[in-house]
Amino acid sequence: MHLPIELWELVIDFLDDEQTLKTTSLVCKAWLSRSRLNLFRTIELCLPRHLDYFQTLLLDSPHLAPYLETVDVSENSLIALFRPARAILARLPHVISSSTPAQPRRLAVHNQLWLPTRYHPDYLDSLSRLTSLTCLDIFDVTFTTVADISSILRALPRLTSLSAKHLDCQRQIDRMTSSTIGCTLPCLTKLRVASYHPTTTIDWLLGCNDFPSIRRMDCLYELSTSNRDQGLGAFWKNTGETLEYISISISKRSAGARFPLGAIEHQLDLSHCRSLRLLRLDCRHERGVAPDWTWLTWLLSHLTCNSLSSITFAFQSSSHALACLHAFADELDHAIAVAPFRDALKSVVFEFDFQDPADPDDKRFVDFFPSLQARNVLRGAFGA
């Protein structure tokens, strides 16, 4: 049977085993290009010698460089700590920039130190020559201070996507100084952040930097009941005019305490987000017996945009949603029904990780929201 090459390429794309991809690359010339793409699209570097192998590959086989899309660095070694100049991150920009055909679009750095001030003096210059990089993902990374983060972001002004999750700094800079070393990312349209206590580093990112083109924000954030210096509120105020999609998951530092109204007003005021079209509220983490949804009803009741067309609530299951929302369902139903965006609202979606058609809670759930049900905006909310 003769199948179009496009179908074979789709099959090859589903292969994630290196040895199998090496085998498919030897089948025929038509399969070679797609097999190479999947073999070399992502390069993972965990040890210094991996970078040496990568450099040799670029020198000996430059025809493979155009396949490179993502460089993933995770070096949790003593070399990165005691000999930072020999670390993978210290040498990577020079290795890539020396190979003209290599044009990676994404750099992922996780579970390690990133210390640009301890690298070669030309490090930031080499980093800035990686003009093809448009996506930066940093997870569980420690810097010396936020000044290091600022210098890295300044070297990558073409970023369109930034993911910053669980970042930390070895030393803290006073608030007045840190507020002056922020930068502007003119091309950034998508930002993802995640931080539990302490949120100081993410607060600096949110409150002291400018994102004039941002359209989407995904946020997992631990709200303090006492710290008014958190940066989430400043972010909404500074970027609200351009944000169109927000996904937010809020937890609180003190499990037994309730959210103070002052903290809610200061950090969760989305009234500046006047262009908002899609709002997703991720509640899957909530497992408390008596969860506090004051922040949720306050946030929805204080939205001032007229363009919001869809709201999504994410829960583990309908039973989980009922257990969490039973005391707030009436208030939530009313807050959405009378909101300024009610005329533009087309759907309120309850998204469940697990659904069981036989579960009676799936059928009972709509009864908790009579106003939304009457407006027919819950249609399709429970589709698989």
Side-chain angles (χ1 to χ4, degrees), residues 266-277:
H266 191 64
Q267 302 296 340
L268 298 176
D269 184 3
L270 301 188
S271 61
H272 302 281
C273 304
R274 299 182 181 90
S275 302
L276 189 62
R277 295 187 299 108

Side-chain angles (χ1 to χ4, degrees), residues 71-350:
V71 179
D72 190 299
V73 183
S74 177
E75 181 185 17
N76 188 9
S77 70
L78 293 178
I79 289 180
L81 180 61
F82 295 109
R83 297 181 60 191
R86 293 294 302 163
I88 295 175
L89 278 175
R91 298 183 291 142
L92 181 65
H94 176 72
V95 169
I96 295 179
S97 60
S98 299
S99 174
T100 304
Q103 299 288 319
R105 297 197 297 268
R106 176 175 175 264
L107 173 62
V109 182
H110 47 97
N111 304 106
Q112 65 177 78
L113 299 171
W114 197 348
L115 312 172
T117 55
R118 299 182 63 185
Y119 301 156
H120 191 278
D122 293 334
Y123 175 76
L124 292 175
D125 182 59
S126 297
L127 187 63
S128 67
R129 289 201 292 269
L130 304 184
T131 56
S132 61
L133 280 181
T134 59
C135 180
L136 176 63
D137 293 353
I138 42 181
F139 173 80
D140 196 14
V141 175
T142 299
F143 303 85
T144 303
T145 68
V146 293
D148 285 353
I149 309 176
S150 180
S151 63
I152 291 168
L153 294 179
R154 289 173 189 271
L156 301 171
R158 291 178 175 83
L159 288 180
T160 60
S161 175
L162 172 62
S163 177
K165 299 182 178 182
H166 309 299
L167 307 185
D168 199 7
C169 290
Q170 295 173 332
R171 299 197 308 270
Q172 300 299 326
I173 299 178
D174 66 87
R175 185 181 178 187
M176 182 173 294
T177 303
S178 64
S179 65
T180 64
I181 58 176
C183 65
T184 299
L185 291 176
C187 302
L188 196 78
T189 59
K190 183 176 181 179
L191 176 64
R192 298 183 299 274
V193 299
S195 185
Y196 298 114
H197 182 81
T199 60
T200 310
T201 304
I202 293 298
D203 289 335
W204 170 84
L205 178 66
L206 294 176
C208 301
N209 296 272
D210 294 326
F211 312 100
S213 302
I214 195 164
R215 295 290 183 271
R216 173 170 179 155
M217 167 63 156
D218 295 76
C219 175
L220 186 156
Y221 193 82
E222 186 173 80
L223 197 65
S224 171
T225 57
S226 57
N227 181 11
R228 292 181 59 86
D229 293 332
Q230 290 186 293
L232 197 56
F235 176 80
W236 306 128
K237 184 176 181 180
N238 295 336
T239 64
E241 292 295 336
T242 59
L243 277 172
E244 297 178 357
Y245 176 98
I246 295 176
S247 177
I248 187 169
S249 177
I250 295 294
S251 59
K252 58 176 177 288
R253 173 64 178 160
S254 303
R258 298 185 71 81
F259 280 115
L261 183 58
I264 296 174
E265 293 175 342
H266 191 64
Q267 302 296 340
L268 298 176
D269 184 3
L270 301 188
S271 61
H272 302 281
C273 304
R274 299 182 181 90
S275 302
L276 189 62
R277 295 187 299 108
L278 303 172
L279 176 63
R280 184 175 186 273
L281 300 154
D282 192 338
C283 311
R284 291 174 296 177
H285 67 279
E286 184 57 65
R287 294 178 174 85
V289 176
D292 180 10
W293 293 113
T294 307
W295 69 269
L296 179 60
T297 53
W298 189 94
L299 183 154
L300 290 170
S301 62
H302 286 76
L303 285 173
T304 58
C305 62
N306 297 315
S307 55
L308 186 62
S309 61
S310 178
I311 302 175
T312 298
F313 297 90
F315 288 93
Q316 296 175 21
S317 64
S318 57
S319 298
H320 175 228
L322 283 173
C324 291
L325 284 178
H326 67 278
F328 285 87
D330 290 341
E331 189 176 352
L332 189 61
D333 183 50
H334 177 74
I336 298 176
V338 301
F341 54 79
R342 61 185 180 275
D343 293 332
L345 192 65
K346 293 183 175 62
S347 63
V348 177
V349 180
F350 284 88

Side-chain angles (χ1 to χ4, degrees), residues 346-351 355 366 376-384:
K346 293 183 175 62
S347 63
V348 177
V349 180
F350 284 88
E351 178 184 288
Q355 296 188 37
V366 294
N376 201 30
V377 294
L378 285 175
R379 62 183 182 275
F382 308 101

Side-chain angles (χ1 to χ4, degrees), residues 368-379:
F368 281 75
F369 301 94
S371 298
L372 299 180
Q373 190 176 9
R375 293 190 56 212
N376 201 30
V377 294
L378 285 175
R379 62 183 182 275

